[in-house]
Amino acid sequence: MAEHQLNPNTWIDKYSDYLFNYTIVRVDDREIAKDIVQETFFAGLRSMKNFKGEASERTWLISILKRKIIDHYRKINSNKGKAEVRMAYNSDSETEGDWLEERVADPYAENAENKIENNELGKAIQNCLSKLPEKQATIFRMKTIDGFDTETICNEFDITASNLWVIIHRARTAMAACMEKNWF
């Protein structure tokens, strides 16, 4: 008997923010990230019959999402040389060890420059996070970086879901303004 069941009627409410945040880190374009998440939901609907119930709904959707991200990079890089590149996922049991066969001209050409840029970006993000009020920063980090679900955060801080989304919106707005000023 399957341990987990699918309920596509709740996918958007339960998973869209998590899937979007997961995707935006990997594709760095809001519109493309939205499209990929939408494609993930459609693919999930089309392949519901293949769901065996061995994983949670969220884990199953993330596995579909990863394939959609890989497809995105294969599509945009189809005319370049071929190499195997490791995607920088969060180090959790669901994503650790995922590989992407991606077509790139030279995976080592800008390696040092990219590392410096990534370090600088990380510092800019941490700097902007440190400027947020403590509660706002913690909630923002839990939701967008650590991927905690809404219910867990609401219970921990004794707030409503509406209040959570106001806090997240304000944090995103402040982070965007700070990053615009200090990074871009």
Side-chain angles (χ1 to χ4, degrees), residues 76-112:
I76 64 172
N77 292 307
S78 62
N79 295 329
K80 297 179 183 174
K82 191 174 181 180
E84 188 172 69
V85 178
R86 183 171 178 86
M87 283 190 78
Y89 291 133
N90 296 333
S91 61
D92 63 23
S93 60
E94 292 179 359
T95 58
E96 191 170 302
D98 289 326
W99 288 80
L100 166 67
E101 187 181 290
E102 181 180 327
R103 297 171 190 271
V104 294
D106 182 0
Y108 303 105
E110 299 176 335
N111 202 16

Side-chain angles (χ1 to χ4, degrees), residues 25-123:
V25 170
R26 288 155 182 83
V27 298
D28 198 29
D29 183 304
R30 293 183 66 79
E31 292 307 311
I32 292 172
K34 287 178 188 177
D35 290 344
I36 291 172
V37 170
Q38 185 176 21
E39 289 172 22
T40 299
F41 287 140
F42 286 139
L45 287 171
R46 284 192 303 272
S47 61
M48 283 178 62
K49 63 185 176 298
N50 299 328
F51 181 73
K52 295 180 176 64
E54 296 168 356
S56 71
E57 202 173 46
R58 181 175 120 164
T59 301
W60 183 70
L61 287 169
I62 290 169
S63 69
I64 294 171
L65 177 67
K66 288 179 195 176
R67 288 191 293 274
K68 294 295 176 189
I69 293 169
I70 290 169
D71 290 346
H72 165 73
Y73 280 105
R74 282 187 178 146
K75 182 179 174 186
I76 64 172
N77 292 307
S78 62
N79 295 329
K80 297 179 183 174
K82 191 174 181 180
E84 188 172 69
V85 178
R86 183 171 178 86
M87 283 190 78
Y89 291 133
N90 296 333
S91 61
D92 63 23
S93 60
E94 292 179 359
T95 58
E96 191 170 302
D98 289 326
W99 288 80
L100 166 67
E101 187 181 290
E102 181 180 327
R103 297 171 190 271
V104 294
D106 182 0
Y108 303 105
E110 299 176 335
N111 202 16
E113 184 178 321
N114 288 345
K115 283 183 180 179
I116 291 169
E117 188 172 312
N118 285 341
N119 286 338
E120 289 173 358
L121 176 60
K123 287 176 185 174

